[in-house]
Amino acid sequence: MSYTHLNRTERDLIYRMQFQGHSQSAIARTLGRHKSTISRELRRYRNVTGHWWSPEADLKAGLARRRHVSSPKTGSKRLINSVL
């Protein structure tokens, strides 16, 4: 199964469709994504007031992606020592 992250264009479309009152299922159909992807996006990247805004969500997603990728597990001295 191939997976791609949502991009800024898709997030902008989610924002516009949500603002127009479309359901998460309708948004997912339009984007060709699963409805759970849209649901997780709206839940995961909302701001402190509970609202979701595409530029802010895109920034948070980028930070989360960099934070996850920036700590490689292979080659770590701690990992190597735990195996030996």
Side-chain angles (χ1 to χ4, degrees):
M1 179 190 302
S2 175
Y3 173 78
T4 57
H5 294 277
L6 291 171
N7 59 39
R8 179 67 184 266
T9 305
E10 291 174 312
R11 286 189 173 96
D12 288 341
L13 184 60
I14 291 169
Y15 179 76
R16 285 195 307 272
M17 290 184 74
Q18 185 184 28
F19 183 77
Q20 294 170 350
H22 293 276
S23 68
Q24 291 179 14
S25 294
I27 296 170
R29 279 192 302 274
T30 301
L31 291 175
R33 302 285 190 149
H34 197 275
K35 61 185 177 181
S36 65
T37 300
I38 307 303
S39 175
R40 278 193 305 271
E41 173 73 16
L42 295 173
R43 183 183 67 243
R44 189 175 288 154
Y45 299 120
R46 61 184 165 211
N47 60 23
V48 293
T49 62
H51 296 94
W52 184 90
W53 187 48
S54 58
E56 188 177 359
D58 199 53
L59 178 65
K60 287 181 178 181
L63 291 172
R65 191 168 32 254
R66 281 189 291 282
R67 187 172 44 247
H68 178 72
V69 173
S70 67
S71 57
K73 301 209 181 350
T74 57
S76 166
K77 288 183 180 181
R78 183 174 160 205
L79 179 64
I80 292 169
N81 290 336
S82 68
V83 174
L84 299 175

